[in-house]
Amino acid sequence: MIARLLAFLLLLLAPFPALAQTVVVHAGRLIADASRPAQGPSTITIVDGRIQSVVAGLTPPPEGARLIDLSTRTVLPGLIDMHVHLAGDPSGEFWREAVDSDEYQAMVGVKNARVTARAGFTTVRDLGSPPLVGFALARGTAENLFPGPRIIASGPAISIVGGHGDVNGFRPEVLEALGVGNTCTGAVQCAERVREMSRAGAQVIKFTATGGVLSQQGRGLEAHFTDEEMRAIVTTAHSLGLKVAAHAHGARGIEAAARAGVDSIEHGTFADAAALRAMRASGTAMVPTLMAFTGIREGLAENRYTPTVAAKVRETLSVVGRAAREARVAGVPVIFGTDAAVFPHGRNAEEFVILVDTVGMSPAEALASATTGAARLLGMDSEIGRIAPGYSADLIAVSGDPLADVRVLQRVEFAMVRGRPIE
Ligand SMILES: [Zn+2]
C-alpha cells in the first residue's frame, strides 16, 4: 500500500514524459559529410528531431516508428545559404519601399520560407529584412507555425546616412516619413546601433561597408564607413557573441572591413590582392553571392532598373566571379550564399554550378561550402552541416550523385528540417 502510494507520489512529481517520436530514414546512398566519399545503403534513426544513430545497411524500424523510404535516393546534409532576403522578391521598383507594408513583406517571407526549404536549404542566414520581420520568420519556422528553414536573421543592415541600406531616391519629406534606415554616424552611435539590433533579436549583425548595386544611392561602390566606425560595429557585436557580415564591393572597403575583423565579406566583387591578404590575415570568409549577378543580368535585360542602378550594374557585371576565384586560390574560405530575392527564391542551388564552373571548386568543395563550411561560419558546426549522431535532423534527398554533378542539387526531392519533413 505504502509502496503504491509512493509510486503514485513519484508519478505526480515526475515531469510529464513527452512521448519520444522516432523516425527512421532508409538512404540508398549516404553523404554524411561532404569531405568524405558517399557510403552505401544506410539507416538513420531520428528521435525528437535529433539524429540518434547512423548505421550501414537498411535495418527495419522499431515498432511505432515512422519509416521514410529514400532507398532509391542519395541522402545528404541539408544545404545552408548564408545570404538570403526571405521577405523580398526580385523587383526594380524602388517605390515599393513607400508602398509595401512590413506586414505584407512578412507574408512574402512565409511564402519564400517554404520555397527555400523545399529547394533543400534547411538553414539560411537572412541578411536584411524590415525591422522585426526576419526575427518573426525565424521564430515562426522554429515553432513550426509554417514550413521553412532554420533562420539566422540580422534584421535591417546598419548603414551610413544615405548609404546602401538607408532609403534613397525620394524627396526629403518622403524620406523623413519613411524613416526606415538603420543608420549611424561615429563609433559611439554605431556601437549603440549594434546593441539595439541585439536587443531586438538579431542573431548576426549585418552592415553595409560599401555602396551597393541595387539601391538608389549614387555614391558608388567604395567604402562607406570610417575605419573607426567599422571597428566599433565589429568589436561591439563580438563582445555580444554575435558574428558580423559586411556587405562590400569596393576593394578598399573590403580591406577596411577585414582589418576591422568581420567574419564574412558578402559579395566581395572588386577584392584585389591587398584586400584578400587582409581577409586571410583576419580569417574572414568570402560569401560571393554569384547568383545575385544572374538575377541582376536578368533584371537588366528586362529594363527593370533606374539609371542610377543600371550604371552600378554595368560596373559590376564585367568582373563577376573573379574575386571569388582569386580568394579560393589565396586560401580565403569561400562560403555558399546567393542573395536570393535578387533572383527568385528556390533557385538557390544554381549557385553550385557557378562555384564549380567559374570559381573552380570541385563538386565536393562546393557542397562543403554549403554544409560544413557554412556551419563553421555560423558557429554551429556541432549542430548542422553533417549527418551524424547528436546533430539536428536536417537532411535532403536527390536522385543521382551530387559529388559527380552538382546540377542534381537543383532537383531536391525530399527535405527535412529539425526532423520535420517539409511538405
Ligand atoms: Zn543581400
Side-chain angles (χ1 to χ4, degrees):
M1 182 69 190
I2 288 170
R4 270 195 197 172
L5 193 67
L6 257 173
F8 178 70
L9 282 174
L10 273 176
L11 255 179
L12 283 182
L13 287 172
F16 287 105
L19 271 180
Q21 217 192 40
T22 303
V23 177
V24 169
V25 175
H26 281 173
R29 286 156 51 84
L30 176 69
I31 301 170
D33 182 321
S35 68
R36 293 205 309 265
Q39 299 154 241
S42 306
T43 299
I44 306 161
T45 302
I46 297 157
V47 178
D48 291 339
R50 206 158 277 283
I51 297 167
Q52 194 184 55
S53 67
V54 183
V55 296
L58 301 180
T59 56
E63 207 182 298
R66 177 179 172 195
L67 174 69
I68 295 174
D69 183 7
L70 299 169
S71 58
T72 58
R73 303 283 187 276
T74 302
V75 173
L76 62 153
L79 306 171
I80 303 169
D81 189 330
M82 296 297 278
H83 192 133
V84 304
H85 303 277
L86 289 175
D89 280 325
S91 166
E93 298 157 334
F94 78 102
W95 46 261
R96 281 179 168 275
E97 205 127 28
V99 173
D100 293 345
S101 66
D102 292 357
E103 290 80 359
Y104 170 74
Q105 292 179 69
M107 299 303 130
V108 172
V110 170
K111 184 259 298 177
N112 288 332
R114 178 176 177 276
V115 168
T116 302
R118 291 279 297 170
F121 290 83
T122 56
T123 296
V124 298
R125 211 165 53 156
D126 190 286
L127 290 183
S129 46
L132 299 177
V133 169
F135 312 141
L137 290 171
R139 185 175 162 191
T141 62
E143 293 178 356
N144 201 23
L145 302 184
F146 51 91
R150 174 188 287 94
I151 300 167
I152 318 298
S154 68
I158 299 170
S159 79
I160 62 161
V161 174
H164 183 65
D166 195 9
V167 188
N168 289 274
F170 295 97
R171 48 194 281 180
E173 58 272 39
V174 178
L175 292 179
E176 185 73 22
L178 289 172
V180 295
N182 194 24
T183 63
C184 64
T185 305
V188 171
Q189 202 179 53
C190 289
E192 188 178 359
R193 212 55 88 230
V194 170
R195 290 176 180 145
E196 285 168 0
M197 298 309 295
S198 164
R199 179 178 62 190
Q203 296 297 322
V204 58
I205 297 298
K206 158 100 178 279
F207 77 100
T208 56
T210 74
V213 179
L214 290 185
S215 60
Q216 303 305 317
Q217 67 87 19
R219 299 264 64 84
L221 296 171
E222 259 304 343
H224 272 185
F225 278 104
T226 66
D227 292 357
E228 197 193 7
E229 288 166 335
M230 290 200 207
R231 271 198 304 276
I233 291 171
V234 175
T235 56
T236 306
H238 285 172
S239 75
L240 294 166
L242 296 169
K243 305 247 184 193
V244 185
H247 155 108
H249 290 289
R252 300 290 68 81
I254 295 168
E255 186 178 355
R259 283 194 206 289
V262 298
D263 300 282
S264 67
I265 293 288
E266 309 296 310
H267 319 304
T269 315
F270 297 101
D272 59 11
L276 293 175
R277 264 198 307 279
M279 289 179 72
R280 208 190 133 102
S282 300
T284 305
M286 182 187 283
V287 181
T289 69
L290 298 169
M291 266 305 283
F293 298 97
T294 299
I296 286 173
R297 213 172 274 122
E298 289 167 5
L300 195 65
E302 289 165 20
N303 220 355
R304 257 196 250 142
Y305 304 128
T306 62
T308 308
V309 171
K312 291 183 286 180
V313 164
R314 291 204 180 84
E315 196 184 334
T316 53
L317 281 184
S318 56
V319 298
V320 173
R322 190 188 68 195
R325 199 163 52 238
E326 288 171 2
R328 176 177 172 272
V329 172
V332 170
V334 177
I335 304 298
F336 190 101
T338 64
D339 219 352
V342 177
F343 64 92
H345 292 270
R347 286 172 57 189
N348 315 51
E350 290 179 37
E351 181 90 13
F352 285 110
V353 181
I354 312 177
L355 290 176
V356 170
D357 291 352
T358 305
V359 179
M361 288 187 183
S362 68
E365 219 180 322
L367 186 58
S369 83
T371 52
T372 42
R376 201 173 307 123
L377 180 51
L378 286 169
M380 297 177 72
D381 46 346
S382 57
E383 177 72 8
I384 54 174
R386 285 183 177 85
I387 296 178
Y391 278 65
S392 177
D394 293 18
L395 48 91
I396 63 171
V398 294
S399 291
D401 181 5
L403 295 178
D405 180 7
V406 291
R407 280 174 178 79
V408 303
L409 294 168
Q410 292 173 34
R411 294 180 301 277
V412 168
E413 295 171 39
F414 174 86
M416 173 185 270
V417 181
R418 298 176 166 117
R420 295 191 291 257
I422 302 292
E423 306 294 341

